[in-house]
Amino acid sequence: MRLIFLGAPGAGKGTQAQKLCEKKEIPHISTGDILREAVANKTQVGLAAKSYMDQGKLVPDEVVVNIVSERLQKPDCKKGFLLDGFPRSLKQAEELDNKLDELGLNIDKVIYFSVDEDEVVRRITGRRICSKCGENYHIESLKPKKDGICDKCSSELYQRNDDTAETVKKRLDVFKKESMPLVNYYKNKSLLTEIVANKSIDEIFNEVIEVFL
Ligand code: AP5
C-alpha cells in the first residue's frame, strides 16, 4: 500500500494519516513533521528550512525531495508508506515518479481532502500540539481534558509558529498556486479520490476506509 494524502493546510491530512497508518501498520511520512524535527534539532536542513516554514512558503524542492528519497529507502517502507504533505508541487511529483521508477515501485492511491477556507482557518488557528509526544488537539473540536495539557503524557501543549491567521493565508495562497495542479496530475493518472473533508474526523475516516474496500 503506497499512498499520498493531498490537501490544503488544515484539511486534516495529518489526523487521517495517523489513524490510517496505525490501522494498516505502514509508516506515516510527513515532510512537515520531518522538517519541524530538523528545525528543533538545528540540523543543516533545519536551519535552511526554518525561515521558509515560518513565512508559510515552500521549502526548496531539492531539500524536500532528498529527504523523501532517503526516507523511502528505509527498510520499513518495504511494506508500504503514506506520504503526507509531499509532493506539493509538480516538480516534486515528477521527482517522486523518477525515484519510484528507480526503486521499481508505484503509487496505488492518492486521496485529496477538499475543505473550504473558513474551516481551514478555524482548524489551524485552533490547533494545539503536545510538546513531548506530538499528540494533536483543537481548542474547540478536539479539546484536551485539562486546558493546555496533553491527555496522554501530561506535557504542555503549544501552537505551531506557522499556525497564525496571517501565515495561514500565505500557506493557502501557496497551496492554490503550487499544489492544486497536483489534483489534475493524479486525476489524469486515474489515481485520485476526492473526499469532502468538512465533516467530523470519524466520518471522514470511514470514507477513507471505504476507498480501500
Ligand atoms: P505541513 O506540516 O505539511 O503543514 P500543512 O500541509 O500546512 O498541513 P497541516 O499540518 O497544517 O494540516 P493537516 O492537513 O495535516 O491538518 P491536521 O490533521 O493537522 O507543512 C508545514 C510547512 O513545512 C509548509 O508550510 C512548508 O514550509 C514545509 N513543507 C512541508 N512539506 C513540504 C514540501 N513537500 N515541500 C516544501 N515545503 C514543505 O488538522 C489541523 C487541525 O484541525 C488539528 O487541530 C486537528 O485536530 C483539526 N481537525 C482535523 N480534522 C478535523 C475535522 N474533520 N474536524 C474538525 N477539526 C479537525
Side-chain angles (χ1 to χ4, degrees):
M1 190 177 265
R2 289 178 288 272
L3 313 169
I4 294 174
F5 276 9
L6 272 185
K13 306 178 294 297
T15 303
Q16 298 297 328
Q18 196 186 346
K19 286 167 81 72
L20 187 66
C21 288
E22 263 170 33
K23 189 175 168 72
K24 300 285 182 190
E25 298 184 339
I26 53 172
H28 172 194
I29 304 177
S30 155
T31 41
D33 287 347
I34 296 171
L35 289 166
R36 275 184 291 281
E37 195 182 330
V39 170
N41 292 333
K42 298 194 168 73
T43 64
Q44 220 175 346
V45 165
L47 293 173
K50 186 175 181 342
S51 70
Y52 293 98
M53 295 175 78
D54 286 348
Q55 292 175 69
K57 294 181 180 168
L58 291 188
V59 173
D61 288 336
E62 59 275 17
V63 175
V64 189
V65 167
N66 276 341
I67 290 175
V68 175
S69 298
E70 278 178 24
R71 184 65 186 85
L72 291 182
Q73 290 177 76
K74 297 241 164 94
D76 63 341
C77 288
K78 286 210 165 74
K79 56 186 173 187
F81 52 79
L82 191 164
L83 291 170
D84 162 13
F86 181 93
R88 241 171 159 103
S89 65
L90 285 174
K91 174 92 173 38
Q92 290 182 12
E94 285 159 8
E95 296 278 356
L96 174 64
D97 286 348
N98 292 340
K99 187 70 206 173
L100 291 174
D101 275 353
E102 207 181 293
L103 298 171
L105 301 174
N106 61 291
I107 293 294
D108 299 306
K109 284 189 191 300
V110 178
I111 299 185
Y112 166 49
F113 297 91
S114 58
V115 66
D116 64 58
E117 287 196 21
D118 289 347
E119 177 63 7
V120 159
V121 174
R122 191 195 73 78
R123 286 186 191 174
I124 290 191
T125 52
R127 170 168 46 197
R128 299 293 181 270
I129 301 165
C130 174
S131 51
K132 193 168 175 206
C133 72
E135 189 68 12
N136 221 318
Y137 296 89
H138 189 277
I139 54 171
E140 290 162 356
S141 47
L142 204 58
K143 286 183 180 176
K145 291 191 185 97
K146 197 170 162 204
D147 250 8
I149 301 294
C150 178
D151 293 347
K152 287 200 170 160
C153 70
S154 302
S155 301
E156 266 184 51
L157 306 184
Y158 76 99
Q159 185 173 24
R160 263 167 56 175
N161 278 352
D162 60 346
D163 276 355
T164 59
E166 195 187 321
T167 314
V168 171
K169 259 182 80 67
K170 174 74 191 164
R171 285 161 64 193
L172 273 168
D173 288 346
V174 170
F175 174 76
K176 281 185 234 162
K177 186 162 167 259
E178 302 286 343
S179 310
M180 268 311 276
L182 294 173
V183 171
N184 272 336
Y185 183 84
Y186 288 116
K187 219 182 243 173
N188 291 338
K189 290 177 181 275
S190 303
L191 291 174
L192 194 96
T193 302
E194 177 173 349
I195 292 182
V196 177
N198 280 33
K199 299 174 194 137
S200 75
I201 292 172
D202 287 343
E203 281 172 308
I204 298 166
F205 191 58
N206 286 338
E207 290 191 31
V208 169
I209 293 300
E210 275 173 24
V211 173
F212 300 101
L213 293 180

